[in-house]
């Protein structure tokens, strides 16, 4: 086994740096027991591998933390992050040698099954089998090791997530003291007094130190530059952006909405830059102390919240009617904008209270008392926004709202009212954490919905501008698709707002990337992406080849239109099949594992889809034999028309009424089909005509021949013929039978000949008879007597009408 040990060390050093090994307590065969060929026990990897030692130590620390359940959430999250890094390494190494292992398997399959006990195998084949089995064992070591370590890391991560979630649930449902107890207000007042005193003392000390060390004088130019620039942008940033926006709107055109959106970003971007510069100026002075610096560093974040809600209000409820995304009355839009500003200020106050906890040790009672008014005010703002923006569906103004918002309005009205009532009650009862987890995420959720609407509107305006469609672009599929993608992207944001951890989302993404296993094959999203890309390239190449064949190559050949269509269609089917096979092979998807399942389903699918399969095979036969082609005039199952398209399952026929008839391909192959234009367009026309008895038949024959020979569509060879059909009931019946050069004109030729016949017969004085009836009355005296005496009995009177029918075919 020394060769195997060296190979193992080399593989672990190169192919799988630091991969973990099988656990020492893994079951091994008893001493002296034989193992199957190719499954000998794996040698234990070298203990001195640094990555292996690091993995073992991390795994042991995680197991100890799980058993003790005393570490903080921050410590568990840090430990979890380390485990995730190890797991990712094992995931990448798991299938690293899969291609080579597949090659060795195919080589061993080519050698056939190993001979049974007592049977001998040729020495060269036996040596080759032994060498291939040894290579297989060497290559499988990293895969097996990585899979075992991956499973262990995955299990530890799941345990840590469970502990953290259980702690969060307990904290969420924990009950503290009520903030309505007046005896606790003095505690909160004392804590706030201590905080303000500490901040003041710390700032005075820092100011004195900065003055004594000449820091203010040394940093004065920088402080002055930052402060002046920041104040100018804070005061004049929005007016400047508004002035630029008015200039761009004055240009008009289809890009007005796009420019308006960009300018709106400038209205919040310039003041935000100014706020950041002011913060830098204050921090550069080093005169406000540690606590003051902490609050000052949070100032840009708070400014972003306020300016962001101002921007959102301007986009949703703009002062200009044409820019308002939610078309409310002007006073309602102004109230809605103010409501969003109130929400932003409450969120800033809530974050400031959270920041107080990090810089000062205050009691839970004090925190509850500080947060309770914010919760109550947030509930009041939610009710106000509900009344302003979520209009009752019965209100006439609701008709002006977007359809999506109009459908969601009843649900949003109910939920917002429930949140506004429940959150303050929970906070008053002592469930402070639960109340905070309801009211503030609810307000942020409404903001996210508004942001999605604004971004969708921008995409629609941008697409309308670039495509030149203008406002008509709102009815296209692009804005709808953009709305779907934006809603999909908002899902993880909403999950974070409602308390999900970033680790939860990354875990879902990691499991998605890990894919799933079918038999011995692991299929990941990368495989699907590779399959889609390769198949897309193959499909595009197939369509390009079809276009080149139909436009350049095939028209220069002697193939007719039907043959050209068959070649193009066959090329398309073959190209799609080859593209699918190439995509499956490139993606490394092994379909052999699906053979049993496919065999089990084939019977049921065969019975359920036998008609579809029959039509598919018939379509292939139609393309190969080509009994019909596109453009042929056919009659099948009582339907007559032109073949317009032959697809895999059915054929589309356009009737003379300009209606489409879809005929299954199986009917065209197994049924009786009349093709009037197969091979050529030559066909016969028959024009019947009748003349009165007593007319010279030879003269009629001569006139009809002249009319047939004179028509340009009638072929001279074979010459047209006139047939005296016989003696009809009312006329002497004749027929013109002529061969046309294009049978598609048969109705026009027949109509023109009838016009000429009518004209010639009128000139020659030839009568075209019509149907006649002779009426014979028996016992007419009985009818006369009945007319004179209405009360008389009819008796044996019998009136019989005999009619002799006759007609001439036109």
């Amino acid at each position: 086994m020394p060769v195997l040990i060296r190979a193992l060390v080399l593989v672990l050093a190169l192919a799988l740096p630091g991969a973990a090994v099988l656990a020492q307590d893994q079951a091994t065969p008893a001493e002296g027991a034989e193992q199957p060929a190719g499954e000998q026990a794996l040698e234990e990897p070298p203990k001195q591998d640094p990555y292996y030692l690091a993995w073992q130590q991390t795994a042991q620390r995680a197991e100890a933390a799980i058993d003790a359940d005393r570490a903080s959430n921050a410590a568990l999250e840090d430990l979890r992050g380390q485990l995730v890094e190890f797991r990712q390494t094992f995931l990448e190494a798991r299938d690293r040698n899969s291609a080579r292992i597949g090659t060795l398997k195919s080589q061993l399959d080519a050698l056939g099954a190993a001979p049974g006990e007592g049977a001998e195998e040729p020495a060269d084949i036996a040596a080759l089998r032994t060498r291939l089995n040894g290579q297989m064992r060497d290559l499988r070591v990293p895969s097996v090791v990585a899979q075992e370590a991956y499973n262990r890391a995955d299990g530890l991560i799941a345990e840590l997530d469970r502990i953290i979630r259980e702690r969060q649930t307990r904290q969420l449902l924990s009950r503290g003291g009520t903030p309505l107890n007046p005896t606790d207000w003095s505690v909160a007042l004392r804590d706030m007094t201590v905080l303000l005193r500490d901040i003041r003392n710390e700032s005075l000390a820092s100011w004195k130190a900065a003055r004594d060390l000449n820091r203010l004088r040394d940093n004065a130019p920088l402080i002055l530059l930052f402060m002046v620039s920041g104040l100018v942008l804070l005061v004049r940033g929005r007016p400047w952006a508004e002035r630029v926006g008015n200039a761009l709107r004055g240009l008009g055109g289809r890009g007005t909405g796009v420019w308006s959106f960009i300018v709106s970003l400038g209205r919040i971007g310039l003041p935000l830059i100014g706020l950041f510069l002011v913060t830098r100026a204050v921090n550069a002075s080093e005169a406000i102390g540690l606590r003051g610096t902490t609050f000052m560093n949070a100032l840009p974040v708070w400014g972003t919240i306020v300016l962001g809600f101002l921007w959102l209000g301007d986009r949703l409820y703009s002062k200009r009617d044409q820019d308002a995304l939610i078309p409310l009355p002007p006073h309602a839009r102004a109230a809605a904008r103010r409501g969003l500003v109130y929400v932003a200020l409450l969120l800033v106050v809530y974050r400031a209270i959270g920041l107080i906890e990090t810089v000062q040790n205050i009691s839970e009672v004090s925190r509850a008392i500080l947060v309770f008014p914010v919760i109550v005010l947030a509930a009041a703002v939610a009710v106000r926004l509900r009344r302003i923006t979520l209009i009752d569906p019965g209100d006439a103004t609701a008709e002006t709202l977007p359809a999506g918002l109009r459908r969601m309005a009843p649900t949003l009205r109910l939920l917002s009212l429930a949140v506004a009532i429940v959150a303050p009650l929970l906070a008053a009862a002592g469930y402070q954490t639960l109340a905070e987890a309801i009211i503030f995420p609810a307000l942020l959720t409404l903001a996210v919905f508004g942001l999605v609407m604004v971004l969708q509107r921008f995409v629609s305006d941008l697409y309308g501008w670039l495509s030149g469609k203008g406002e008509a672009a709102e009815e296209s599929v692009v804005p709808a698709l953009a709305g779907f993608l934006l809603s999909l992207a908002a899902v993880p944001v909403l999950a974070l707002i409602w308390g999900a951890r970033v680790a939860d989302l990354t875990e879902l993404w990691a499991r998605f990337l890990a894919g799933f296993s079918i038999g011995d094959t692991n299929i990941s999203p990368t495989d699907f992406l590779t399959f889609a890309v390769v198949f897309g390239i193959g499909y595009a190449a197939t369509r390009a080849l079809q276009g080149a064949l139909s436009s350049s190559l095939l028209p220069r050949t002697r193939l007719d239109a039907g043959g050209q269509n068959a070649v193009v269609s066959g090329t398309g089917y073959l190209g799609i099949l080859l593209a699918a096979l190439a995509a499956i092979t490139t993606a490394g998807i092994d379909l052999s594992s699906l053979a049993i399942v496919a065999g089990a389903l084939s019977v049921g699918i065969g019975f359920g889809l036998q008609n579809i399969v029959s039509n598919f095979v018939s379509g292939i036969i139609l393309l190969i034999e080509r009994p019909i082609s596109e453009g042929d005039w056919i009659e099948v199952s009582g339907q007559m028309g032109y073949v317009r398209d032959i697809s895999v399952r059915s054929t589309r026929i356009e009737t003379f009424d300009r209606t489409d008839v879809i005929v299954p391909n199986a009917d065209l192959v197994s049924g009786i089909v009349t093709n009037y234009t197969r091979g050529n367009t030559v066909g016969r026309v028959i024009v019947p005509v009748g003349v009165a008895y007593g007319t010279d038949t030879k003269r009629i024959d001569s006139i009809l021949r002249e009319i047939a020979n004179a028509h340009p569509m009638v072929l001279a060879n074979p010459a047209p013929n006139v047939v005296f059909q016989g003696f009809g009931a009312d006329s002497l019946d004749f027929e013109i039978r002529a061969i046309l050069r294009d049978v598609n004109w048969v109705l026009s030729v027949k109509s023109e000949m009838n016009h000429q016949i009518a004209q010639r017969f009128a000139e020659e004085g030839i009568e075209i008879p019509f149907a006649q009836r002779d009426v014979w009355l028996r016992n007419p005296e009985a009818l006369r007597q009945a007319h004179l005496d209405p009360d008389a009995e009819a008796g044996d009177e019998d009136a019989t009408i005999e009619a002799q029918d006759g007609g001439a075919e036109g």
Side-chain angles (χ1 to χ4, degrees):
M1 301 295 291
V3 176
L4 178 59
I5 295 176
R6 287 195 297 270
L8 179 59
V9 173
L10 181 61
V11 170
L12 290 176
L14 299 178
L16 183 61
V21 299
L22 293 172
Q24 292 183 1
D25 56 349
Q26 185 177 3
T28 56
E31 184 178 357
E34 296 182 356
Q35 296 184 2
E39 297 294 338
Q40 283 83 351
L42 300 175
E43 294 287 342
E44 184 179 351
K47 292 287 187 178
Q48 64 273 16
D49 186 279
Y51 198 88
Y52 167 76
L53 295 177
W55 155 244
Q56 289 288 2
Q57 293 172 0
T58 304
Q60 291 171 3
R61 285 194 294 109
E63 291 170 350
I66 292 172
D67 293 337
D69 194 10
R70 289 194 300 268
S72 64
N73 285 350
L76 293 181
E77 290 284 4
D78 180 68
L79 188 58
R80 184 189 183 281
Q82 299 177 31
L83 292 175
V84 168
E85 293 180 0
F86 280 109
R87 186 180 63 176
Q88 183 62 29
T89 301
F90 302 142
L91 177 63
E92 295 172 355
R94 185 178 60 185
D95 298 326
R96 185 167 297 173
N97 297 324
S98 58
R100 178 57 178 158
I101 291 175
T103 303
L104 291 174
K105 284 183 178 180
S106 63
Q107 290 178 277
L108 289 172
D109 292 339
L111 295 180
E117 185 178 357
E120 294 184 359
E121 188 176 26
D124 53 349
I125 297 181
L128 179 59
R129 188 187 302 276
T130 301
R131 182 171 60 84
L132 293 177
N133 283 329
Q135 294 178 3
M136 178 74 74
R137 288 194 302 270
D138 294 344
L139 291 175
R140 287 189 60 192
V141 168
S143 178
V144 174
V145 167
Q147 183 63 50
E148 185 275 337
Y150 175 87
N151 293 338
R152 185 181 181 186
D154 193 61
L156 293 174
I157 292 172
E159 287 291 321
L160 292 176
D161 287 338
R162 179 186 59 80
I163 293 175
I164 295 174
R165 281 194 294 267
E166 289 177 353
R167 291 180 178 180
Q168 290 178 336
T169 303
R170 287 195 299 267
Q171 182 181 4
L172 189 66
L173 299 178
S174 62
R175 183 176 182 273
T178 173
L180 301 180
N181 186 0
T183 59
D184 295 331
W185 295 353
S186 60
V187 178
L189 181 61
R190 184 178 65 249
D191 288 343
M192 293 304 300
T193 302
V194 172
L195 173 64
L196 295 176
R197 186 185 65 225
D198 291 344
I199 293 177
R200 185 196 63 183
N201 296 335
E202 190 178 68
S203 299
L204 290 175
S206 299
W207 174 266
K208 182 179 179 180
R211 185 186 58 189
D212 295 342
L213 298 176
N214 295 325
R215 292 174 181 170
L216 293 176
R217 186 186 61 186
D218 295 340
N219 296 333
L222 184 63
I223 295 173
L224 184 62
L225 176 63
F226 284 166
M227 183 64 69
V228 172
S229 301
L231 292 177
V232 169
L233 290 177
L234 280 173
V235 175
R236 301 298 303 169
R238 288 176 63 86
W240 286 349
E242 188 66 31
R243 188 176 303 173
V244 174
N246 293 332
L248 293 175
R249 291 190 194 93
L251 299 177
R254 290 186 295 266
T256 303
V258 177
W259 293 121
S260 177
F261 180 85
I262 295 175
V263 171
S264 68
L265 294 178
R267 284 200 299 267
I268 67 169
L270 294 179
L272 189 59
I273 294 174
L275 186 60
F276 177 78
L277 292 176
V278 170
T279 302
R280 292 288 297 169
V282 175
N283 288 337
S285 67
E286 300 181 7
I288 57 174
L290 180 60
R291 290 180 176 86
T293 302
T294 303
F295 281 98
M296 188 58 65
N297 290 335
L299 192 60
V301 178
W302 299 343
T304 302
I305 295 174
V306 175
L307 292 174
F309 273 84
L310 277 174
W311 173 81
L312 188 61
D314 288 340
R315 300 307 300 170
L316 293 175
Y317 314 103
S318 177
K319 297 178 182 179
R320 291 174 293 274
D321 295 338
Q322 65 272 18
D323 292 339
L325 192 57
I326 301 179
L328 298 176
H331 67 278
R333 294 204 300 268
R337 290 195 299 270
R338 289 194 300 270
L340 289 178
V341 173
Y342 297 154
V343 171
L345 295 176
L346 290 173
L347 290 174
V348 169
V349 173
Y350 177 68
R351 292 181 66 91
I353 294 174
L355 189 59
I356 290 174
E357 290 184 286
T358 62
V359 300
Q360 191 77 12
N361 186 18
I362 62 174
S363 63
E364 294 183 1
V365 175
S366 299
R367 185 188 185 282
I369 294 174
L370 293 175
V371 174
F372 181 72
V374 182
I375 295 176
V376 174
L377 291 175
V381 172
V383 173
R384 179 178 176 83
L385 288 175
R386 171 184 178 272
R387 186 173 63 253
I388 295 173
T389 61
L390 301 178
I391 300 176
D392 192 289
D395 196 321
T397 313
E399 297 298 327
T400 61
L401 296 177
L405 184 60
R406 193 164 57 246
R407 288 192 298 267
M408 295 173 57
T411 303
L412 292 178
R413 285 175 59 87
L414 180 61
L415 292 177
S416 60
L417 181 61
V419 168
I421 294 175
V422 170
L425 294 178
L426 288 174
Y431 293 98
Q432 193 81 21
T433 306
L434 184 58
E436 296 172 17
I438 292 177
I439 185 65
F440 297 111
L443 295 175
L444 289 175
T445 299
L446 294 177
V448 171
F449 287 161
L451 180 61
V452 170
M453 296 174 60
V454 171
L455 294 179
Q456 184 182 13
R457 174 69 173 272
F458 170 69
V459 172
S460 177
D461 292 338
L462 182 62
Y463 175 71
W465 180 34
L466 296 177
S467 63
K469 296 181 178 180
E471 295 182 356
E474 296 181 4
E475 304 299 328
S476 64
V477 70
V478 173
L481 182 60
F484 173 76
L485 295 177
L486 289 171
S487 301
L488 196 63
V491 171
V493 177
L494 292 175
L496 293 174
I497 289 174
W498 284 96
R501 298 155 45 229
V502 176
D504 294 332
L505 301 181
T506 56
E507 182 67 16
L508 290 176
W509 181 250
R511 292 191 178 279
F512 174 73
L513 292 180
F516 58 92
S517 298
I518 300 179
D520 296 333
T521 302
N522 183 75
I523 300 178
S524 65
T526 306
D527 299 330
F528 282 109
L529 182 60
T530 304
F531 177 87
V533 170
V534 175
F535 181 78
I537 294 174
Y539 182 81
T542 300
R543 292 305 183 195
L545 179 60
Q546 286 182 292
L549 289 175
S550 60
S551 62
S552 301
L553 181 60
L554 292 178
R556 302 181 182 180
T557 64
R558 297 182 180 179
L559 286 175
D560 56 6
Q564 294 179 19
N565 176 70
V567 172
V568 172
S569 300
T571 302
Y573 298 145
L574 180 61
I576 292 175
L577 177 62
L578 293 178
L581 293 177
I584 292 173
T585 304
T586 305
I589 301 175
D590 185 9
L591 299 182
S592 61
S593 303
L594 300 177
I596 299 177
V597 178
L601 294 178
S602 60
V603 177
I605 293 177
F607 282 109
L609 303 179
Q610 56 182 344
N611 290 333
I612 296 178
V613 174
S614 175
N615 291 324
F616 176 79
V617 175
S618 299
I620 300 299
I621 294 175
L622 291 177
L623 292 176
I624 296 176
E625 293 186 353
R626 294 196 296 115
I628 62 173
S629 301
E630 289 188 12
D632 286 356
W633 173 13
I634 69 171
E635 180 179 3
V636 57
S637 301
Q639 301 291 337
M640 180 182 294
Y642 291 103
V643 177
R644 295 306 185 196
D645 181 60
I646 302 176
S647 62
V648 177
R649 189 194 67 84
S650 61
T651 296
R652 181 170 62 90
I653 298 176
E654 181 183 342
T655 66
F656 299 127
D657 298 330
R658 292 298 187 266
T659 58
D660 286 345
V661 177
I662 307 301
V663 180
N665 288 332
D667 294 349
L668 297 172
V669 173
S670 61
I672 299 176
V673 181
T674 302
N675 194 332
Y676 294 96
T677 57
R678 176 60 181 165
N680 56 67
T681 59
V682 175
R684 188 174 70 170
V685 63
I686 299 177
V687 183
V689 63
V691 297
Y693 276 93
T695 306
D696 186 358
T697 57
K698 295 295 184 181
R699 185 181 175 195
I700 298 298
D701 184 280
S702 175
I703 292 174
L704 295 180
R705 288 182 185 275
E706 290 178 8
I707 293 174
N709 287 318
H711 200 284
M713 291 297 295
V714 176
L715 294 178
N717 186 21
N721 190 23
V722 176
V723 179
F724 182 16
Q725 285 288 86
F727 303 92
D730 302 297
S731 64
L732 301 175
D733 297 333
F734 290 83
E735 282 184 355
I736 298 177
R737 297 188 176 186
I739 302 299
L740 304 180
R741 64 180 74 257
D742 191 347
V743 74
N744 293 297
W745 297 86
V746 62
L747 294 179
S748 298
V749 172
K750 191 173 183 179
S751 176
E752 292 171 1
M753 285 187 177
N754 283 330
H755 281 295
Q756 295 174 13
I757 291 171
Q759 181 180 358
R760 288 291 302 277
F761 280 11
E763 294 173 355
E764 300 290 340
I766 299 173
E767 179 186 358
I768 299 178
F770 50 85
Q772 299 180 4
R773 301 292 183 269
D774 294 335
V775 181
W776 296 85
L777 298 179
R778 293 182 179 180
N779 301 328
E781 63 278 1
L783 294 176
R784 188 180 302 110
Q785 182 67 27
H787 176 70
L788 295 176
D789 187 8
D791 297 332
E793 292 285 335
D796 294 333
E797 297 174 356
D798 183 14
T800 305
I801 299 177
E802 295 181 353
Q804 185 176 5
D805 244 334
E809 297 181 8

